Amino acid sequence: MTKILIVDDVELFLELEKSFLDELGYEVLMARSGEEALELVASESPDLMLLDMYMSGIDGDEVCRRLRAEEQW
């Protein structure tokens, strides 16, 4: 089953996206911050990530930068 990680600091957006993807049959993981997303990527290895680009702390752009800097991703 395809595993999708959605990352957003707005709970409503997380729930809407999760509901939509659940109905399509995907396994959905959720993170509420860039820090949490990086932890989940390391432990769960999702197939796809949907990132909010505007979050406090580590934003989606920085998550991408950090993952691209690691050879395994």
Side-chain angles (χ1 to χ4, degrees), residues 50-73:
L50 302 175
L51 294 162
D52 179 2
M53 297 304 288
Y54 304 103
M55 296 183 289
S56 59
I58 299 175
D59 63 13
D61 193 42
E62 181 63 22
V63 170
C64 284
R65 264 193 220 101
R66 291 185 186 194
L67 290 175
R68 293 180 118 202
E70 296 182 32
E71 189 173 317
Q72 73 187 71
W73 306 116

Side-chain angles (χ1 to χ4, degrees), residues 5-32:
L5 171 59
I6 52 177
V7 185
D8 204 310
D9 56 350
V10 178
E11 190 70 30
L12 175 64
F13 294 154
L14 281 175
E15 293 301 327
L16 288 171
E17 293 165 353
K18 182 180 185 326
S19 175
F20 177 75
L21 293 169
D22 279 342
E23 287 183 25
L24 295 174
Y26 295 105
E27 180 180 349
V28 179
L29 306 169
M30 297 189 303
R32 288 156 186 82

